[in-house]
């Protein structure tokens, strides 16, 4: 099981690095896995959303996975937790607070929504809400942020 978790971490890390590599030039130095960088991801996705009609389905999937993993890895570096594969959503997730609580972050759906132009899927706000529970997980609380 430890090997599997290590492989999942490495895969998430590789996707996150691809997000940085494929980001606009203006943003590369700002994508440093900090809390501030989450707003940079929001700006990048906003820019991409303006051109989403020109993006192929494959480009949307790649960007969703890359920036989704960037957000997962950033949350991990900021708040800790453990990565698992979510079979229901078919994507990685971060779980914080176990065994007293279960605060789950699943990012791909939210990133894709923002990428295709849904302003309600604001990434900075989404992660901010997750962070409130991640920083102070109440015993017995079970919540999924997706």
């Amino acid at each position: 099981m430890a090997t599997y978790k290590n492989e999942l971490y490495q895969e998430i890390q590789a996707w996150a690095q691809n997000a940085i590599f494929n980001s606009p030039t203006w943003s590369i130095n700002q994508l440093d896995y900090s809390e501030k960088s989450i707003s940079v991801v929001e700006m990048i996705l906003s820019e991409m959303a303006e051109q989403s009609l020109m993006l192929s389905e494959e480009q949307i999937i790649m960007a969703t996975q890359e920036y989704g993993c960037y957000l997962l890895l950033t949350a991990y570096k900021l708040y800790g937790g453990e990565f698992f594969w979510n079979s229901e959503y078919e994507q990685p997730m971060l779980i914080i607070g176990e065994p007293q609580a279960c605060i789950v972050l699943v990012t791909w759906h939210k990133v894709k929504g923002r990428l295709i132009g849904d302003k309600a899927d604001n990434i900075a706000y989404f992660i901010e809400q997750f962070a409130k529970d991640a920083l102070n997980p109440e015993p017995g609380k079970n919540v999924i942020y997706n």
Side-chain angles (χ1 to χ4, degrees):
M1 189 65 146
T3 302
Y4 171 75
K5 288 184 182 179
N6 190 39
E7 288 174 9
L8 183 58
Y9 177 86
Q10 289 175 352
E11 192 170 325
I12 291 167
Q13 188 176 40
W15 281 102
Q17 288 171 345
N18 283 343
I20 295 169
F21 180 75
N22 294 321
S23 291
T25 306
W26 65 263
S27 67
I28 291 174
N29 291 333
Q30 297 177 57
L31 294 175
D32 58 1
Y33 303 104
S34 66
E35 195 172 318
K36 199 165 93 174
S37 74
I38 295 166
S39 295
V40 175
V41 171
E42 169 62 29
M43 289 188 295
I44 292 168
L45 294 175
S46 177
E47 283 183 5
M48 292 177 78
E50 293 173 11
Q51 301 173 9
S52 67
L53 294 177
M54 298 184 316
L55 297 175
S56 70
E57 184 63 27
E58 184 178 298
Q59 290 171 311
I60 290 171
I61 290 169
M62 290 293 285
T64 295
Q65 293 173 343
E66 290 173 355
Y67 288 105
C69 286
Y70 177 85
L71 293 170
L72 283 174
L73 191 56
T74 299
Y76 173 79
K77 290 175 181 271
L78 292 171
Y79 313 113
E82 208 170 333
F83 292 117
F84 294 92
W85 182 258
N86 185 308
S87 298
E88 180 182 347
Y89 296 122
E90 296 185 1
Q91 62 183 282
M93 63 182 170
L94 179 65
I95 299 178
I96 293 176
E98 288 191 318
Q100 295 82 11
C102 185
I103 314 301
V104 180
L105 179 63
V106 183
T107 56
W108 291 4
H109 178 75
K110 191 65 71 172
V111 170
K112 184 175 183 182
R114 187 65 189 99
L115 189 58
I116 60 174
D118 189 347
K119 292 181 182 179
D121 284 330
N122 183 287
I123 298 303
Y125 179 78
F126 170 65
I127 299 295
E128 182 182 309
Q129 297 309 302
F130 166 78
K132 288 178 185 177
D133 281 331
L135 288 170
N136 296 304
E138 295 174 23
K141 186 165 192 169
N142 293 309
V143 62
I144 298 175
Y145 287 89
N146 66 348

